[in-house]
Amino acid sequence: MKIVKIIGGLGNQMFQYALAIALQERWKDEEIKLDLHGFNGYHKHQGYQLDMLFGHRFEAATLTDVAQLAWPYPHYQLWRVGSRLLPKRRSMLCEPSKGLLPSDVLKQKGSLYYDGYWQDERYFKAIRPQIMAAFKFPDFTDRRNLETEKRLKASEAVSIHVRRGDYLDDILFQGTCDIAYYQRAIARLCQLKTPVFCIFSNDMAWCKVHIEPLLHGKEILYADWNRGKESYRDLQLMTLCRHHIIANSSFSWWGAWLSKADDGITIAPQHWYAHDAKPSPAAERWIKV
């Protein structure tokens, strides 16, 4: 049995889920389960979303299952405290704190518990078709998203993701995707013949003041209607764009990575974090500015 811990917002959940799929592909006779107990008492983002969006693929591990391999935490707050105080057990495979890629993550035999975010495409790049198939969103049903879907598919669409809000005071991310980053990125993609820029953000007022002037009269769509439990629809719309300017966010990371436009251009920040201790998870083929 191998258990993958799932925690965080949708983008983080997708990275962990992709690791579980990669483990399933390599260990076809092994039971792969998900530890979802961290969502008890977890009030950030929209909670656990994977089954709702992508169907039920893996069984949820019980606390008894977890206890065989790792410390069983029935509540998010207990995990926050215990994960800092208790030592790693031998059957726990924890992501290195500096985010370096362990070469044997998918190769280790036996029952293991995987604890980390695993934000690196090299864990699952070799099975891209399987990942693309697994992350198939429910079809749009509302008029506004359907009309936007049609417009994005028919144009040289560019997604721009600007994440502010919770990032403004986060010492790990603050100050990395500043206005200078968007100036450099937009300058590259404004050279496209007839681009349509679709802006996604949790601070549209800021974007209209600071991003819109950089687009020099180009066509702009502000995707500002998908909220709450429907916020994932923004990520779904991103995947329909041919080109991408992403923030240092796992949300827009997946918006770009799941795009089917093989000839598209994705621009990512050169510095994903506010310090250089952790390497950037930006895909190798993307342009870093």
Side-chain angles (χ1 to χ4, degrees):
M1 177 172 60
K2 297 183 186 298
I3 300 175
V4 178
K5 181 177 183 61
I6 308 292
I7 197 65
L10 179 58
N12 287 333
Q13 293 175 40
M14 291 171 70
F15 272 111
Q16 294 155 346
Y17 199 69
L19 178 71
I21 294 172
L23 290 169
Q24 185 182 57
E25 287 292 320
R26 184 173 183 88
W27 304 98
K28 297 185 183 298
D29 297 327
E30 190 93 35
E31 191 172 25
I32 311 295
K33 292 187 177 184
L34 307 180
D35 180 5
L36 306 178
H37 293 95
F39 288 102
N40 296 329
Y42 185 84
H43 303 299
K44 301 179 181 180
H45 311 294
Q46 303 302 321
Y48 180 66
Q49 294 181 276
L50 297 177
D51 285 0
M52 178 188 74
L53 300 183
F54 308 119
H56 185 73
R57 181 172 187 145
F58 298 103
E59 292 299 316
T62 66
L63 281 176
T64 301
D65 291 332
V66 175
Q68 296 178 49
L69 305 175
W71 305 112
Y73 300 110
H75 192 278
Y76 174 66
Q77 295 301 335
L78 292 175
W79 169 75
R80 288 192 67 195
V81 175
S83 61
R84 291 170 171 82
L85 298 177
L86 295 178
K88 184 180 73 171
R89 291 174 56 178
R90 291 181 62 183
S91 51
M92 293 175 65
L93 192 59
C94 298
E95 185 178 35
S97 59
K98 292 187 177 181
L100 300 176
L101 181 79
S103 60
D104 60 350
V105 167
L106 300 177
K107 300 176 183 178
Q108 291 199 27
K109 298 179 181 180
S111 295
L112 292 167
Y113 183 93
Y114 296 79
D115 188 358
Y117 289 104
W118 314 108
Q119 295 178 339
D120 196 309
E121 68 168 351
R122 287 176 290 178
Y123 292 121
F124 49 82
K125 183 179 179 181
I127 56 166
R128 179 176 170 83
Q130 291 92 320
I131 300 298
M132 296 287 287
F135 290 144
K136 186 180 185 302
F137 291 93
D139 292 337
F140 292 119
T141 57
D142 64 294
R143 177 185 58 81
R144 202 164 188 183
N145 278 319
L146 285 168
E147 289 177 350
T148 305
E149 175 184 33
K150 184 177 180 180
R151 182 72 186 101
L152 295 178
K153 286 183 175 180
S155 66
E156 193 83 356
V158 181
S159 77
I160 300 178
H161 185 215
V162 179
R163 182 166 176 176
R164 289 171 55 78
D166 59 332
Y167 267 29
L168 295 180
D169 298 319
D170 192 318
I171 60 173
L172 188 60
F173 297 104
Q174 63 183 197
T176 49
C177 289
D178 56 12
I179 191 63
Y181 164 69
Y182 288 102
Q183 287 176 326
R184 295 191 296 270
I186 288 171
R188 285 176 176 253
L189 293 185
C190 270
Q191 299 173 12
L192 298 171
K193 288 186 178 180
T194 54
V196 174
F197 290 90
C198 191
I199 298 179
F200 304 88
S201 181
N202 55 359
D203 192 345
M204 282 299 190
W206 187 91
C207 293
K208 290 178 180 179
V209 172
H210 296 90
I211 300 297
E212 185 173 325
L214 303 178
L215 297 175
H216 307 293
K218 304 290 186 182
E219 182 178 351
I220 303 173
L221 301 175
Y222 288 99
D224 58 0
W225 57 88
N226 294 312
R227 303 186 182 186
K229 290 292 186 182
E230 295 297 307
S231 297
Y232 74 90
R233 294 296 192 182
D234 278 1
L235 195 160
Q236 186 174 0
L237 289 173
M238 288 181 195
T239 69
L240 303 177
C241 295
R242 180 175 296 276
H243 312 287
H244 305 270
I245 296 173
I246 70 172
N248 52 341
S249 164
S250 58
F251 193 82
S252 51
W253 190 101
W254 281 107
W257 200 88
L258 292 174
S259 172
K260 296 179 181 178
D262 294 333
D263 59 343
I265 299 169
T266 294
I267 297 179
Q270 180 71 44
H271 299 287
W272 195 271
Y273 302 103
H275 54 74
D276 293 327
K278 295 180 67 173
S280 169
E284 184 179 2
R285 65 186 179 280
W286 294 347
I287 298 171
K288 289 84 171 178
V289 301

